[in-house]
């Protein structure tokens, strides 16, 4: 029997859904989308990747390519192309729409241990499974977080308003929670995703001491309580995050740990999805 593929509708975060509705309602969004689609030509970015990055496949860095099939089977998506880019910044990103592709940086592989690379790839595949890739590509271009080569090919000038940019930032942050959940589903636990978050918070390979995950979770909980108790602190949080495409690292880890303890995740892990009032719907075999 093949693995059970989990449809993204079972795990997309409520904040992701709400932020996307807000983004689509922003004046100018549909005008920008039309302009983007007129200029967007996916094949040119495949050419760019193949000419400027290392394509990972069965014959090139195959240990990374071999991580993808079980992830994609679990998430019910085709296997995307995977590339390695020379960049000291530890990062992985997913672009495209009809044929999404993932780009990892050399800095990422130098920062995280080998056993956590599948977790990062599962997170990126989660963006594909949740149908984030088109809007995230759009957002990365207009917010200036895409590569220079990508942005240079899609100039939009003054089409982008401040409210639209703020809404894109907010949705991109919220979409990370859904992709994190995809990684938790593939791993069967939140532990590895929490480890990734801790590494990006400061526990890199060069730190000799062992991290205390429980203390990191307490730190995140204290932060949550701090901002929830004060309107001023919530304002400071908004100003801190307004120009970021990713949520705060400790909060992401706590979200993963809490979701892994939920009935929703346990039902998915057990092969069923718990609806309301105890109703159960079996997941379909892929």
């Amino acid at each position: 029997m093949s693995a059970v593929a989990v449809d993204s509708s079972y795990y997309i975060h409520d904040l992701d859904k709400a932020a996307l509705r807000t983004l689509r309602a922003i004046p100018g969004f549909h005008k920008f989308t039309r302009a983007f689609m007129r200029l967007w030509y996916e094949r040119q970015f495949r050419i760019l990747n193949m000419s400027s990055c290392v394509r990972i496949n069965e014959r090139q860095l195959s240990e990374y390519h071999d991580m993808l099939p079980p992830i994609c089977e679990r998430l019910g998506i085709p296997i995307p192309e995977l590339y390695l880019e020379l960049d000291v910044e530890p990062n992985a990103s997913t672009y495209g729409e009809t044929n999404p592709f993932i780009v990892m940086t050399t800095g990422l592989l130098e920062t995280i241990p080998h056993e956590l690379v599948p977790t990062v790839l599962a997170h990126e595949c989660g963006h594909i499974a949740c149908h984030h890739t088109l809007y995230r590509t759009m957002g990365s271009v207009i917010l200036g977080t895409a590569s220079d080569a990508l942005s240079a090919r899609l100039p939009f000038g003054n089409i982008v308003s401040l409210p639209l940019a703020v809404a894109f930032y907010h949705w991109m942050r919220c979409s990370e929670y859904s992709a994190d959940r995809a990684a938790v589903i593939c791993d069967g636990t939140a532990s590895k995703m929490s480890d990734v978050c801790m590494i990006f918070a400061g526990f890199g390979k060069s730190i000799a001491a062992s991290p205390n995950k429980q203390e990191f979770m307490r730190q995140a909980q204290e932060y949550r309580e701090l901002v929830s108790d004060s309107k001023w602190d919530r304002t400071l949080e908004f100003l801190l995050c307004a120009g970021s495409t990713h949520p705060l690292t400790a909060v992401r880890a706590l979200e993963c740990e809490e979701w892994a303890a939920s009935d929703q995740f346990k039902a998915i892990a057990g092969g069923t999805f718990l609806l309301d009032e105890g109703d159960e719907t079996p997941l379909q075999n892929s």
Side-chain angles (χ1 to χ4, degrees):
M1 180 182 295
S2 60
V4 176
V6 183
D7 190 273
S8 61
S9 61
Y10 291 124
Y11 59 85
I12 290 181
H13 200 287
D14 287 344
L15 291 176
D16 183 354
K17 297 176 186 177
L20 185 56
R21 287 194 297 268
T22 300
L23 173 62
R24 288 170 169 166
I26 294 292
F29 173 77
H30 293 293
K31 178 181 179 182
F32 171 75
T33 302
R34 288 194 300 270
F36 184 92
M37 295 308 294
R38 283 198 302 269
L39 294 173
W40 168 248
Y41 181 47
E42 193 168 305
R43 189 169 179 81
Q44 67 181 312
F45 300 110
R46 183 169 187 264
I47 294 171
L48 177 66
N49 285 332
M50 292 184 69
S51 63
S52 304
C53 303
V54 175
R55 184 174 64 179
I56 297 173
N57 58 24
E58 300 94 330
R59 299 171 301 279
Q60 183 76 270
L61 300 173
S62 60
E63 63 267 35
Y64 298 113
H65 174 270
D66 292 345
M67 296 173 181
L68 283 174
I71 292 170
C72 295
E73 184 177 18
R74 184 63 169 148
L75 298 180
I77 61 172
I79 297 174
E81 289 195 336
L82 180 62
Y83 295 90
L84 182 64
E85 177 184 34
L86 180 62
D87 190 337
V88 297
E89 185 73 20
N91 193 27
S93 54
T94 303
Y95 296 119
E97 172 60 11
T98 56
N99 294 294
F101 56 87
I102 298 171
V103 179
M104 300 189 298
T105 65
T106 51
L108 174 73
L109 301 185
E110 292 168 357
T111 301
I112 66 172
H114 185 77
E115 62 269 20
L116 291 181
V117 176
T119 299
V120 175
L121 290 177
H123 170 95
E124 295 303 321
C125 286
H127 284 308
I128 298 172
C130 293
H131 308 287
H132 291 155
T133 50
L134 176 60
Y135 286 173
R136 286 186 65 85
T137 302
M138 291 165 56
S140 296
V141 170
I142 70 169
L143 302 178
T145 59
S147 67
D148 290 342
L150 182 66
S151 298
R153 286 163 171 77
L154 294 170
F156 291 101
N158 58 6
I159 290 180
V160 181
S161 65
L162 179 60
L164 181 58
V166 170
F168 256 116
Y169 272 122
H170 178 59
W171 172 72
M172 290 180 76
R173 290 194 299 272
C174 293
S175 73
E176 294 293 328
Y177 292 128
S178 298
D180 285 347
R181 288 183 174 185
V184 173
I185 288 171
C186 291
D187 289 333
T189 173
S191 179
K192 291 183 177 181
M193 193 64 227
S194 296
D195 286 344
V196 170
C197 290
M198 291 187 70
I199 288 170
F200 280 106
F203 279 103
K205 289 180 180 178
S206 61
I207 303 296
S210 298
N212 184 331
K213 187 176 295 184
Q214 289 72 30
E215 182 58 28
F216 192 61
M217 293 303 112
R218 278 193 288 270
Q219 172 186 330
Q221 186 62 52
E222 287 180 23
Y223 169 80
R224 181 186 284 173
E225 293 170 358
L226 175 71
V227 297
S228 65
D229 291 341
S230 167
K231 290 182 179 179
W232 175 240
D233 286 336
R234 286 197 297 275
T235 301
L236 293 177
E237 179 189 43
F238 172 79
L239 294 174
L240 175 67
C241 296
S244 175
T245 60
H246 285 68
L248 300 172
T249 311
V251 176
R252 285 178 66 184
L254 183 59
E255 283 276 342
C256 287
E257 294 287 346
E258 290 179 339
W259 189 66
S262 70
D263 290 339
Q264 185 183 37
F265 172 74
K266 291 175 183 176
I268 291 172
T272 60
F273 179 71
L274 191 64
L275 299 174
D276 295 328
E277 303 300 327
D279 293 333
E280 291 186 351
T281 299
L283 297 176
Q284 301 298 312
N285 287 341
S286 61

